[in-house]
Amino acid sequence: MNTNIENYVKILQNDGTMLYPTDTIWGLGCDVKSKKGIAKILEIKRIANARSMIVLVDSVERLENCVEYIPPIIYDLIVATDKPLTIVYPKAKGVLKNIAAEDGSVGIRVAKHEFCQNIIRALDSPIVSTSANYTGEPSPTGLQTVNPEVVKQVDLVVDEKYDEHFGETKASRIIKIDTNGMFQVLRD
């Protein structure tokens, strides 16, 4: 395993937070099971609610451990999508209650970014993801566009060499699916 990844995982296993590239924009993250890590991200972002965070997984198999039900059409959407896709599922499981919305739903993306996949596999846990900016600021498309005050507050800044984009650098498409398999586009 890559030494950097091993070091990053050690930090995350100790409730650390990271500033890292995703398949969309630069994000703030931690182990999805870390109450302290999530609290620190909320403090950094100056928000009170973790419900604005999504969960990144490395595979459909790990996704199946995070939600009660996945309608069959979702498997096709995940494979066929031409851009990063976050799906809001109706019933979360295996994630901290403060990440799930009040109705029990949770936003999850199967990351196609190699760094994200590698860190999740090495950690053996999904990671939390939220944009690395303050409310009202533009979403950071690269490390140089992250507010320096945000950079100072994280435990780990991932090396820029892991930054690989898949076309446009903007937030993911978001759809919400219900228990009947019906969905609506929340953000395109």
Side-chain angles (χ1 to χ4, degrees):
M1 184 187 310
N2 179 310
T3 305
N4 282 351
I5 298 290
E6 289 175 1
N7 292 334
Y8 297 164
V9 166
K10 286 177 187 172
I11 292 167
L12 295 176
Q13 288 171 331
N14 289 300
D15 298 315
T17 57
M18 70 176 167
L19 172 60
Y20 67 107
T22 72
D23 42 4
T24 57
I25 56 179
W26 275 67
L28 296 172
C30 65
D31 186 328
V32 76
K33 299 179 303 272
S34 174
K35 290 180 183 180
K36 289 180 182 178
I38 291 168
K40 184 165 183 184
I41 290 171
L42 294 175
E43 183 181 311
I44 292 168
K45 287 200 53 111
R46 302 177 186 158
I47 57 176
N49 192 331
R51 297 179 193 333
S52 63
M53 296 185 205
I54 65 166
V55 175
L56 295 183
V57 295
D58 62 326
S59 65
V60 171
E61 293 77 25
R62 201 174 304 270
L63 168 65
E64 291 169 347
N65 294 325
C66 296
V67 294
E68 293 289 329
Y69 172 71
I70 303 172
I73 184 119
I74 294 301
Y75 294 98
D76 294 332
L77 283 172
I78 291 169
V79 171
T81 187
D82 62 341
K83 66 188 271 188
L85 175 66
T86 299
I87 301 171
V88 179
Y89 296 90
K91 294 182 180 176
K93 70 176 185 181
V95 297
L96 292 174
K97 288 183 176 26
N98 65 342
I99 299 249
E102 288 180 20
D103 66 359
S105 65
V106 64
I108 303 175
R109 183 167 73 245
V110 178
K112 295 184 179 179
H113 190 278
E114 186 177 358
F115 170 79
C116 293
Q117 290 175 340
N118 289 337
I119 201 85
I120 293 165
R121 283 183 195 125
L123 185 61
D124 195 27
S125 178
I127 55 176
V128 168
S129 187
T130 186
S131 59
N133 62 335
Y134 297 124
T135 302
E137 289 184 351
S139 297
T141 57
L143 183 56
Q144 302 79 16
T145 62
V146 177
N147 183 318
E149 291 304 311
V150 170
V151 175
K152 286 182 201 174
Q153 296 178 69
V154 295
D155 300 308
L156 158 67
V157 177
V158 170
D159 193 310
E160 281 184 284
K161 72 180 180 183
Y162 296 110
D163 191 6
E164 56 183 60
H165 289 290
F166 302 96
E168 295 181 67
T169 52
K170 64 179 191 175
S172 66
R173 175 180 291 147
I174 301 176
I175 64 169
K176 185 172 186 173
I177 189 106
D178 67 22
T179 54
N180 298 316
M182 302 298 293
F183 64 90
Q184 70 182 78
V185 176
L186 300 180
R187 180 174 68 200
D188 195 22

